[in-house]
């Protein structure tokens, strides 16, 4: 009896383990000889990722669109048992994911992961972004879960694409067109991102985390400088600049941090304060930083202010290439071409390569009584 009991327990144990083994799913090729694929791109700081299965034409050219892929919606007789669009690929759901809010063909779509479907029509296709991204294929498609529908015109092509693919085309810093390509048809749709808004939203989030710890003035300055460069979000940018130049975050001796703050104040119409801030900044400027700042003042038609910076830089770093050409630029902006020529000729002796060619032109302009800054 004891032997029989032991044998029975062994059989039961084997059955349990065998059942678990049978249910385990091993890695295998996709069904139907299709290919799994992932394609992704960044638009600004927005990640766009598409996961899909790639069916092949497999000698069915001329029988894909309108036949294998029916027009409109099809009753599949399984799952939700509702008319369903094409799964925009094969096997599992095709999914598309956006890490920030986007616009699809001009319509808003929040950040998230979506099931992607296409209701094909030779004249106008309906693209469907479903909140359900986890169901298998299109068998459980439910229109109540649609997040967005847009219509686009399919494009016929002469060249046949054997394996269905998604491709990013017509890319700009703010947008891209995603093309579904298969056989001799392209279904395109445009994705747009508000790059500045998403970047600022990212700054706001990150500056509440470990990137904004004490001694991290660079992070605060990066955010403030971005706003200054793009002339946006200036009141908050000024607060970020205040943090960058504070003792807590360690930017009190950074020329860049003070210059960023001055730029924001200038754009806010607070020019006197901006000038005072730049006075604080100048002791921390390298000779190249000082030269670049003064050259910007020349371009802004502020010759007296520019000359003061060029002179201060020269006194601090006498007779260098940058300070000599700076003095030449400063005197030229004031209309004193004779003194400007003296410094330009000194700079010419120090220059090499492309700098030498540029300074040779400066010398010729001054010799001909012309402002070298023009």
């Amino acid at each position: 009896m004891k032997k029989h009991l032991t044998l029975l327990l062994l059989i039961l144990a084997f059955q349990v383990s065998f059942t678990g083994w049978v249910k385990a799913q091993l890695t295998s090729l996709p069904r139907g000889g299709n290919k799994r694929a992932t394609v992704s791109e960044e638009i600004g700081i927005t990640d766009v990722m598409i996961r899909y299965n790639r069916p092949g034409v497999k000698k069915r050219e001329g029988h894909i669109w309108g036949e294998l892929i029916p027009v409109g919606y099809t009753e599949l007789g399984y799952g939700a048992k509702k008319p369903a669009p094409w799964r925009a690929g094969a096997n599992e759901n095709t999914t598309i994911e956006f890490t920030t809010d986007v616009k699809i063909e001009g319509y808003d779509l929040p950040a998230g992961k979506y099931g992607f479907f296409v209701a094909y029509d030779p004249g106008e296709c309906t693209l469907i972004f479903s909140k359900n991204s986890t169901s298998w294929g299109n068998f459980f498609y439910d229109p109540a879960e649609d997040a967005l529908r847009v219509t686009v015109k399919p494009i016929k092509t002469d060249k046949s694409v054997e394996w269905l693919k998604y491709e990013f085309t017509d890319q700009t810093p703010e947008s891209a067109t995603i093309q579904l390509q298969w056989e001799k048809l392209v279904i395109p749709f445009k994705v747009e991102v508000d790059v500045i808004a998403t970047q600022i939203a990212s700054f706001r989030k990150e500056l509440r985390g470990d990137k904004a710890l004490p001694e991290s003035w660079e992070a605060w300055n990066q955010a403030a400088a971005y706003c200054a460069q793009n002339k946006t979000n200036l009141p908050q940018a000024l607060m970020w600049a205040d943090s960058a130049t504070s003792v807590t975050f360690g930017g009190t001796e950074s020329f860049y941090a003070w210059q960023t703050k001055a730029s924001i104040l200038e754009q806010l119409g607070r020019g006197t304060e901006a000038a005072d801030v730049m006075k604080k900044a100048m002791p921390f400027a390298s000779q190249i930083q000082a030269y670049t700042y003064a050259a910007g003042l020349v371009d802004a038609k502020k010759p007296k202010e520019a000359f003061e910076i060029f002179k201060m830089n020269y006194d601090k770093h006498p007779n260098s290439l940058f300070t000599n050409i700076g003095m030449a630029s400063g005197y030229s902006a004031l209309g004193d071409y004779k003194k400007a020529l003296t410094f330009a000729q000194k700079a010419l002796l120090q220059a090499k390569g492309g700098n030498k060619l540029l300074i040779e032109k400066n010398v010729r302009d001054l010799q001909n009584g012309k402002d070298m800054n023009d």
Side-chain angles (χ1 to χ4, degrees):
M1 179 68 181
K2 188 174 182 180
K3 289 183 179 180
H4 290 302
L5 181 59
T6 301
L7 180 60
L8 179 61
L9 290 173
L10 287 172
I11 292 171
L12 288 172
F14 175 77
Q15 287 178 334
V16 170
S17 62
F18 180 76
T19 301
W21 174 75
V22 169
K23 289 182 178 179
Q25 295 294 311
L26 300 178
T27 302
S28 61
L29 293 172
R31 297 182 183 183
N34 302 311
K35 298 174 179 288
R36 293 190 184 97
T38 301
V39 61
S40 64
E41 286 280 354
E42 281 191 350
I43 305 175
I45 61 168
T46 301
D47 291 320
V48 182
M49 178 178 289
I50 305 170
R51 296 181 184 274
Y52 63 108
N53 278 252
R54 303 177 65 190
V57 175
K58 301 176 182 178
K59 300 181 180 180
R60 297 175 292 186
E61 192 168 296
H63 300 282
I64 300 293
W65 302 103
E67 295 183 33
L68 180 65
I69 308 302
V71 173
Y73 301 80
T74 304
E75 170 60 68
L76 301 173
Y78 175 74
K81 295 185 179 180
K82 295 180 180 180
W86 175 46
R87 71 192 76 182
N91 300 345
E92 299 95 336
N93 251 10
T94 294
T95 64
I96 183 166
E97 186 171 4
F98 308 97
T99 56
T100 73
D101 297 349
V102 298
K103 286 184 181 291
I104 306 293
E105 290 293 314
Y107 293 92
D108 292 331
L109 184 65
K113 185 176 182 179
Y114 298 93
F116 182 59
F117 302 93
V118 175
Y120 166 72
D121 185 278
E124 190 173 67
C125 295
T126 299
L127 311 185
I128 302 168
F129 297 82
S130 172
K131 297 173 186 176
N132 186 343
S133 64
T134 58
S135 293
W136 203 93
N138 52 350
F139 292 106
F140 298 92
Y141 169 75
D142 185 345
E145 296 173 326
D146 290 356
L148 177 67
R149 287 188 176 205
V150 298
T151 56
V152 297
K153 293 187 179 299
I155 302 169
K156 293 182 179 180
T157 63
D158 294 328
K159 184 179 179 180
S160 184
V161 175
E162 173 64 24
W163 296 97
L164 182 149
K165 66 177 180 178
Y166 287 85
E167 189 171 294
F168 289 79
T169 65
D170 303 325
Q171 298 184 56
T172 74
E174 299 84 20
S175 68
T177 296
I178 297 176
Q179 293 186 348
L180 186 164
Q181 304 173 8
W182 194 27
E183 201 231 19
K184 292 185 176 181
L185 197 74
V186 172
I187 301 175
F189 60 96
K190 188 174 184 179
V191 180
E192 296 173 277
V193 175
D194 187 333
V195 173
I196 292 177
T198 55
Q199 181 64 81
I200 291 174
S202 177
F203 286 149
R204 288 171 179 157
K205 181 179 179 180
E206 290 184 295
L207 289 174
R208 297 178 66 183
D210 60 4
K211 293 184 179 180
L213 296 174
E215 304 300 322
S216 60
W217 68 267
E218 294 93 339
W220 295 97
N221 187 64
Q222 180 185 353
Y226 180 87
C227 295
Q229 181 181 356
N230 290 282
K231 298 178 172 57
T232 188
N233 194 45
L234 295 178
Q236 186 171 35
L238 183 57
M239 290 190 287
W240 290 340
D242 285 338
S243 294
T245 54
S246 70
V247 173
T248 300
F249 293 103
T252 55
E253 296 185 3
S254 166
F255 173 79
Y256 282 133
W258 289 111
Q259 186 181 35
T260 296
K261 182 174 180 177
S263 175
I264 295 167
L265 287 167
E266 190 75 44
Q267 292 182 55
L268 288 170
R270 296 159 64 176
T272 301
E273 292 175 74
D276 290 340
V277 166
M278 284 310 300
K279 289 178 182 177
K280 292 181 180 179
M282 293 317 301
F284 309 113
S286 68
Q287 62 172 304
I288 296 176
Q289 289 171 334
Y291 169 81
T292 302
Y293 174 62
L297 292 174
V298 171
D299 292 339
K301 307 301 180 185
K302 296 181 178 180
K304 291 182 180 180
E305 294 91 333
F307 184 80
E308 288 179 7
I309 302 301
F310 283 133
K311 181 65 167 60
M312 181 209 72
N313 201 26
Y314 184 86
D315 291 342
K316 192 174 180 181
H317 306 281
N319 202 35
S320 75
L321 171 62
F322 280 100
T323 57
N324 278 327
I325 198 62
M327 289 297 289
S329 178
Y331 274 120
S332 182
L334 292 173
D336 191 338
Y337 299 151
K338 184 177 180 180
K339 288 184 179 178
L341 180 60
T342 299
F343 283 100
Q345 288 171 331
K346 289 182 180 180
L348 183 59
L349 296 175
Q350 299 167 312
K352 296 179 181 179
N355 283 335
K356 187 170 185 177
L357 294 175
L358 179 60
I359 295 173
E360 284 175 347
K361 180 181 182 303
N362 295 153
V363 168
R364 287 195 300 271
D365 286 342
L366 293 169
Q367 288 172 335
N368 292 324
K370 296 180 180 179
D371 184 358
M372 62 172 277
N373 299 302
D374 290 341

